[in-house]
Amino acid sequence: MSAAGAPRRHPPWIKVRAPGGPEYVETLGVVRQLGLHTVCEEARCPNLGECWAHRTATFMLLGDTCTRKCSFCAVAHGRPLAVDPHEPSRVGEAVARLRLRHVVVTSVNRDDLPDGGAAHFAATAWAISRAAPGCRIEVLVPDFQGDRRAVATVVAAPVAVFNHNVETVPRLYRRVRPGARYERSLSVLEAARGKGSRLTKAGLMLGLGEGEDEVLEVLRDLRGVGCDILTLGQYLRPSAEHVPLERYVTPEEFTHLGRIAGEMGFRHVESGALVRSSYHAWAHAP
């Protein structure tokens, strides 16, 4: 924080394009008309304008209220509403109307559900497949509290990319990601990778106080469970209520880490200040 409690000024390399244009307006219209949620809006993603201009949105299932309270996340937390059984078909309709070739589907954490929402993910993937044959489907899932049956439910659906973020290094989990466990997240990725030929993907936020040696250890762990795709981005504090930002990672550091990740054998790496889980997702797989 700067003087008088004002937010820290972003460095010049963190710039985003203001939302606008006909494709953005069309995407917004479809999302609103069908009563859907997007993580683009709920998590205040800085790339919303760019991605929506490409007619790409990350649909957020199971409402807009999370059962966990991660200290980095802008999504609301509390007691969620009942599951909407018609949501999967509406997402399928949105994908068809937007003529998407690659779609990302995520959700809030729903620890109140026996399967963590896995069946709802699967139903959504099948609905998209029926409504928009040929559209590649990527899921960004919670950890399902480590339930491998839930993972199996999701990967049995027509999913091309299975994404689950580890978010930060193990030392910072208690402060940044309470309710989650690093080893559990690795086991979810390992379970998904072991079933079928789909790609697995994971991401980390940087700038929370992690050391480079810790980041590299996480990358080695991810490769150890067969993770194919990696995203590295800058943590940006949503509000004064969230975990403080320790530092801005320079573009040179992101390039350096991306190069090392590539040498480790990741199939595709997105590394940069504004990179988020779904950033350029359409380019991550053939």
Side-chain angles (χ1 to χ4, degrees):
M1 298 291 285
S2 60
R8 180 185 298 188
R9 185 184 299 275
H10 292 333
W13 60 80
I14 297 183
K15 295 180 180 179
V16 297
R17 189 176 75 180
E23 294 84 3
Y24 167 82
V25 172
E26 180 184 7
T27 302
L28 178 63
V30 169
V31 168
R32 293 289 184 269
Q33 289 166 19
L34 295 175
L36 299 172
H37 298 286
T38 69
V39 75
C40 320
E41 297 172 284
E42 302 297 338
R44 306 174 194 172
C45 179
N47 303 309
L48 184 150
E50 178 183 355
C51 293
W52 283 26
H54 282 276
R55 291 196 180 93
T56 301
T58 300
F59 296 100
M60 191 166 75
L61 305 178
L62 298 166
D64 60 356
T65 304
C66 188
T67 55
R68 297 188 192 177
K69 189 180 180 182
C70 294
S71 63
F72 69 89
C73 185
V75 175
H77 63 273
R79 178 177 294 180
L81 298 175
V83 175
D84 178 357
H86 303 294
E87 185 176 50
S89 63
R90 297 203 309 278
V91 173
E93 181 181 347
V95 171
R97 286 172 58 177
L98 291 170
R99 305 177 297 284
L100 301 184
R101 297 176 62 187
H102 184 106
V103 62
V104 183
V105 180
T106 189
S107 78
V108 291
N109 278 284
R110 290 297 300 263
D111 294 333
D112 58 315
L113 301 177
D115 68 349
H120 201 73
F121 268 102
T124 302
W126 283 112
I128 293 169
S129 182
R130 289 190 297 269
C135 178
R136 186 172 53 206
I137 301 167
E138 176 176 333
V139 293
L140 171 55
V141 301
D143 63 18
F144 300 126
Q145 299 189 76
D147 185 350
R148 291 200 169 207
R149 293 170 300 178
V151 174
T153 295
V154 175
V155 299
V159 171
V161 181
F162 183 100
N163 187 353
H164 173 66
N165 288 332
V166 294
E167 305 292 9
T168 189
V169 301
R171 177 176 58 84
L172 299 177
Y173 258 54
R174 185 183 297 271
R175 181 164 64 97
V176 174
R177 211 180 167 209
R181 287 174 36 223
Y182 177 71
E183 295 78 11
R184 188 163 68 194
S185 285
L186 289 178
S187 73
V188 166
L189 288 162
E190 184 177 37
R193 189 70 181 93
K195 298 179 181 295
S197 59
R198 76 200 48 77
L199 299 173
T200 54
K201 177 178 174 183
L204 291 90
M205 305 171 293
L206 304 182
L208 286 162
E210 69 289 329
E212 181 177 316
D213 57 335
E214 293 178 297
V215 173
L216 296 182
E217 186 62 34
V218 171
L219 301 194
R220 284 189 283 269
D221 288 344
L222 289 173
R223 287 299 300 139
V225 296
C227 185
D228 300 292
I229 303 169
L230 174 72
T231 59
L232 299 172
Q234 172 73 57
Y235 167 65
L236 296 175
R237 192 182 193 188
S239 78
E241 305 299 319
H242 293 82
V243 64
L245 168 69
E246 295 295 327
R247 74 182 187 97
Y248 289 104
V249 179
T250 67
E252 292 76 17
E253 289 176 281
F254 276 114
T255 298
H256 168 68
L257 290 170
R259 177 184 56 77
I260 294 175
E263 292 171 352
M264 286 184 179
F266 285 96
R267 176 174 178 155
H268 188 97
V269 179
E270 290 280 351
S271 182
L274 294 177
V275 169
R276 297 295 181 265
S277 299
S278 305
Y279 189 59
H280 289 171
W282 58 86
H284 294 178

